[in-house]
Amino acid sequence: MSDLILIRYGELALKGKNRNQFENRLLQNIREKLSSFSGVQVKKTFGRMFVELNGQPMDPVVEELREVFGVVGISPATRVESDLDQIQAAALELVQGLDPRPRTFKVIAKRAWKEFSHTSQEINHLLGSHILKNTEGIQVDVHQPELSLRVEVRREGTYLYGRDLSGPGGLPVGSSGRVMLMLSGGIDSPVAAYYVLKRGAALEAVHFHSYPFTSERARKKVEDLAQILTRYAGKIHLHVVPFTEIQTQIREKCPSAYMITIMRRFMVRISEELARSNQALALVTGESLGQVASQTLESMNVINDVTRMPILRPLVGMDKQEIMQVSRKIGTYETSILPYEDCCTVFQPKYPVTRPGVERSRALEASLDVERLVQDAVAATECVTLKRETTQEEFSYF
């Protein structure tokens, strides 16, 4: 008897002619996620994926799989020869090995190998009878059983599984192109990252650092957030942009009410440059409509004015409590609330404009050497490569 984990996936089965591409991407992602487990093998066969444990403990592998986008269900399973006696023994062992033991069950058999000597209905009856005869305190319930014991009889073997754990769903990371996340040190942007990863996007990240206005601890906090996100994303390149000169120029030459608006326009310009050089097709922010003064529709319109690249806002319809709940779920909340300010909060004006205008913003920027400031910031950008459970590597961007 082999120890296996059956992996189920949802949307991928609907991809038609592109289905193999999505399945292969998921297969690759799972293998990378489980690469630290010696001897574990991941195989794809007959529209299923199986993880063969080969002596590794089940629970740690399952926990890793629950962070792989594209996985809908995870079922610990066993495989035996397609022989009735072996199938009955495996079914009994599976039921009796569950803790707590179910009080009701039903058998759902599928005879994919038509040469097997019993039909699906006969297998249901034979296994159900065998379990009832040898197990106390259990009965059949075909409508709402506590356990649905699924049996797939195939030429190469028979697979049995019952316990079903939920995966995160979505699409495999890397199947939907690449995006550039504008990663602050707050609660929202890591949650936005989680949602675009769930839709299959590979992730680059950009952070704006204004030393000495913001501390090295603030930068380390953002790197820690990106490191947490590697649990879902795999490798992440974090582009750290020196933003001090730009903020100083804005503070000196623009009205305080417009400081955040002009800063964000610069951030988008720089992010777009970095996105294009890293084959990213869209920008991502953690903005939520109306959450703060700079996240009104008017502000978003003014910010969008400086780019032709799509800006994705996955949290636009969520309130703060919903965002915080997801932040706790994905493990970023405790790091996000550490009291190290980012460049926006340090320069937050007392009365920021809530309905900025495009023409007014353009006029204010006329006093700034926008192109030079953007190009200097891009040229001085550093890139930190973060990998799942590995040491960071740092290098100059140019």
Side-chain angles (χ1 to χ4, degrees):
M1 186 179 297
S2 301
D3 289 325
L4 300 168
I5 299 173
L6 170 69
I7 297 171
R8 293 187 296 104
Y9 39 89
E11 288 184 68
L12 275 64
L14 305 177
K15 293 301 179 181
K17 294 181 180 180
N18 294 323
R19 175 173 172 171
N20 278 341
Q21 296 178 24
F22 284 87
E23 288 181 343
N24 290 337
R25 172 63 68 173
L26 177 60
L27 184 67
Q28 176 183 335
N29 291 352
I30 292 172
R31 285 174 173 166
E32 291 176 357
K33 182 72 166 172
L34 302 182
S35 61
S36 63
F37 293 91
S38 177
V40 166
Q41 293 183 311
V42 187
K43 297 181 178 180
K44 182 180 76 166
T45 179
F46 53 83
R48 293 275 193 268
M49 288 187 193
F50 285 96
V51 177
E52 296 183 349
L53 296 173
N54 294 321
Q56 289 286 350
M58 175 87 64
D59 290 347
V61 175
V62 168
E63 289 307 306
E64 293 292 316
L65 290 172
R66 297 186 84 168
E67 295 177 348
V68 179
F69 289 117
V71 174
V72 171
I74 305 163
S75 297
T78 57
R79 181 176 61 207
V80 297
E81 297 294 324
S82 292
D83 169 80
L84 181 60
D85 290 339
Q86 291 194 41
I87 297 171
Q88 287 180 318
L92 183 62
E93 182 177 339
L94 190 153
V95 171
Q96 293 184 347
L98 293 176
D99 184 19
R101 185 176 296 176
R103 294 167 296 179
T104 59
F105 79 104
K106 72 174 179 179
V107 179
I108 305 172
K110 178 180 179 181
R111 188 184 64 160
W113 181 34
K114 300 306 180 184
E115 296 177 20
F116 189 70
S117 56
H118 299 281
T119 66
S120 297
Q121 289 299 322
E122 289 172 346
I123 297 169
N124 290 341
H125 176 73
L126 289 167
L127 296 188
S129 299
H130 185 70
I131 293 168
L132 287 171
K133 181 179 178 181
N134 293 280
T135 308
E136 294 183 358
I138 195 169
Q139 59 185 358
V140 173
D141 183 346
V142 298
H143 300 294
Q144 292 183 317
E146 292 183 9
L147 171 67
S148 295
L149 174 59
R150 299 182 181 273
V151 181
E152 295 185 6
V153 181
R154 299 185 176 272
R155 182 185 297 273
E156 71 277 7
T158 294
Y159 301 84
L160 303 92
Y161 52 98
R163 187 161 56 108
D164 187 34
L165 305 172
S166 62
L171 297 173
V173 172
S175 63
S176 300
R178 184 175 299 275
V179 298
M180 180 66 74
L181 169 73
M182 297 173 67
L183 181 62
S184 71
I187 294 172
D188 301 340
S189 54
V191 176
Y194 179 84
Y195 281 115
V196 293
L197 288 167
K198 186 172 183 177
R199 298 313 304 159
L203 190 68
E204 302 270 332
V206 55
H207 175 67
F208 296 88
H209 184 56
S210 293
Y211 184 82
F213 301 123
T214 55
S215 68
E216 286 301 318
R217 289 182 298 179
R219 170 174 168 163
K220 181 61 167 60
K221 170 185 173 181
V222 172
E223 292 177 0
D224 290 343
L225 286 171
Q227 184 66 59
I228 294 169
L229 291 172
T230 63
R231 289 163 41 189
Y232 309 96
K235 182 168 66 177
I236 294 177
H237 292 134
L238 174 63
H239 306 269
V240 183
V241 180
F243 205 56
T244 307
E245 182 183 1
I246 293 175
Q247 287 195 293
T248 301
Q249 291 281 323
I250 293 171
R251 184 172 62 175
E252 291 175 356
K253 298 180 180 180
C254 298
S256 62
Y258 263 81
M259 282 179 57
I260 295 297
T261 299
I262 303 301
M263 278 193 292
R264 289 189 181 278
R265 284 165 63 91
F266 269 93
M267 288 177 177
V268 168
R269 290 185 177 102
I270 294 166
S271 298
E272 180 181 20
E273 291 283 336
L274 293 172
R276 294 194 188 283
S277 62
N278 287 276
Q279 293 76 53
L281 301 176
L283 306 180
V284 179
T285 77
E287 293 168 296
S288 172
L289 184 60
Q291 185 179 123
V292 295
S294 62
Q295 295 179 17
T296 62
L297 280 178
E298 290 86 352
S299 292
M300 292 180 185
N301 183 53
V302 169
I303 293 167
N304 289 359
D305 173 61
V306 300
T307 181
R308 296 184 63 184
M309 184 170 282
I311 301 180
L312 308 181
R313 297 177 170 95
L315 312 186
V316 69
M318 298 177 68
D319 63 35
K320 197 65 176 184
Q321 290 302 315
E322 292 171 318
I323 297 169
M324 289 168 60
Q325 183 178 1
V326 177
S327 180
R328 291 187 177 97
K329 170 188 168 184
I330 66 176
T332 56
Y333 179 78
E334 294 301 328
T335 302
S336 291
I337 63 173
L338 292 174
Y340 308 131
E341 296 179 310
D342 61 30
C343 60
C344 288
T345 53
V346 167
F347 285 88
Q348 182 71 37
K350 187 174 182 179
Y351 299 109
V353 61
T354 58
R355 291 181 170 81
V358 171
E359 295 303 326
R360 174 63 170 157
S361 299
R362 291 174 179 173
L364 292 173
E365 288 176 345
S367 63
L368 302 168
D369 189 348
V370 173
E371 184 174 353
R372 180 192 67 80
L373 289 169
V374 169
Q375 293 306 317
D376 286 354
V378 170
T381 295
E382 297 177 8
C383 185
V384 180
T385 300
L386 300 112
K387 301 178 183 178
R388 190 183 297 118
E389 302 296 333
T390 61
T391 303
Q392 301 171 19
E393 303 171 6
E394 187 168 331
F395 55 92
S396 293
Y397 192 79
F398 287 93

